[in-house]
Amino acid sequence: DAKTTQPPSMDCAEGRAANLPCNHSTISGNEYVYWYRQIHSQGPQYIIHGLKNNETNEMASLIITEDRKSSTLILPHATLRDTAVYYCIVTGSARQLTFGSGTQLTVLP
Amino acid sequence: DAGVTQSPTHLIKTRGQQVTLRCSPKSGHDTVSWYQQALGQGPQFIFQYYEEEERQRGNFPDRFSGHQFPNYSSELNVNALLLGDSALYLCASSLFQRNTEAFFGQGTRLTVV
């Protein structure tokens, strides 16, 4: 699986969009970009995934650059409950996920 | 539709003992993967089961073993427990033939004393 680089921490004001970046310059053609988040001591929660097209669901949007070397997870209207560690994972299979250190997102009131 | 369920939620064991953790996958899923998450770190892949066989394995010793049953549920067994085995153990389920998302349970917190 390709290695990912994420900032260790970010803050966001409540109600504003949270934009979480991820670099994955060594991604290969058959690898997907997955995003999970983990609230303290709970199991990771699936957010979204994509191959090369931008994706949107009820939780978030995923923007993947045309060269696929980086992506951004967008939470359109962050709430206090979105405070969590966000993991960007690049993998050819969701059956075996390699978690890095992630980004600690803190939503401020 | 129940998601991924794990039992027990918490467990305390003594060094040298053996432990069995259980996981029921999300309805319709056929693959179960196990992860270990030490305090302050991201989850680490232990192994994956499909069709009652171990398909992939991470860098964990043979003290860690597993089983998958015909109904797709799974067990994780750890023998000769060490203090360093204290962690949150997570189970994730997915579909083997499709590259869709994996869903996680809430985990079992194992404390070895």
Side-chain angles (χ1 to χ4, degrees):
Chain A
D1 294 345
K3 181 178 170 58
T4 61
T5 303
Q6 299 178 251
S9 64
M10 294 182 63
D11 292 339
C12 176
E14 189 177 20
R16 304 297 294 269
N19 296 276
L20 292 91
C22 180
N23 287 321
H24 32 79
S25 58
T26 61
I27 190 170
S28 60
N30 64 345
E31 289 184 316
Y32 288 73
V33 179
Y34 281 81
W35 284 84
Y36 282 81
R37 72 181 182 184
Q38 189 172 27
I39 297 169
H40 184 62
S41 295
Q42 296 183 20
Q45 178 187 21
Y46 168 79
I47 301 173
I48 199 167
H49 76 286
L51 184 61
K52 52 184 177 182
N53 297 322
N54 297 338
E55 302 288 343
T56 296
N57 63 20
E58 65 278 4
M59 288 184 66
S61 294
L62 173 60
I63 308 299
I64 303 174
T65 57
E66 192 168 342
D67 63 7
R68 303 213 315 131
K69 292 184 177 182
S70 66
S71 59
T72 301
L73 178 74
I74 301 173
L75 307 179
H77 305 287
T79 71
L80 298 178
R81 288 177 295 180
D82 291 322
T83 292
V85 177
Y86 287 76
Y87 294 100
C88 169
I89 301 167
V90 171
T91 182
S93 167
R95 302 186 299 271
Q96 180 177 347
L97 300 170
T98 300
F99 289 79
S101 301
T103 296
Q104 171 66 58
L105 174 69
T106 302
V107 180
L108 303 171
Chain B
D1 175 26
V4 180
T5 58
Q6 293 187 242
S7 63
T9 54
H10 295 84
L11 201 53
I12 299 175
K13 288 286 189 178
T14 304
R15 270 183 305 173
Q17 284 188 315
Q18 178 263 345
V19 68
T20 298
L21 310 182
R22 295 176 176 82
C23 172
S24 292
K26 179 179 168 62
S27 177
H29 282 183
D30 56 14
T31 302
V32 173
S33 303
W34 287 92
Y35 295 79
Q36 179 195 64
Q37 186 172 24
L39 204 58
Q41 299 182 18
Q44 300 296 307
F45 175 77
I46 303 175
F47 43 53
Q48 168 203 132
Y49 275 83
Y50 170 68
E51 289 187 331
E52 303 178 47
E53 291 186 12
E54 183 183 295
R55 299 294 179 146
Q56 299 282 346
R57 188 178 183 92
N59 188 24
F60 280 81
D62 292 345
R63 298 186 298 108
F64 290 78
S65 63
H67 188 77
Q68 186 180 36
F69 299 93
N71 67 352
Y72 308 119
S73 67
S74 176
E75 289 181 349
L76 164 66
N77 301 293
V78 186
N79 295 321
L81 284 167
L82 305 174
L83 295 179
D85 295 330
S86 295
L88 180 68
Y89 287 85
L90 296 160
C91 164
S93 75
S94 57
L95 281 168
F96 189 85
Q97 297 295 347
R98 294 182 59 192
N99 199 359
T100 57
E101 58 272 28
F103 291 97
F104 284 80
Q106 290 305 297
T108 294
R109 171 71 62 186
L110 172 65
T111 303
V112 182
V113 297

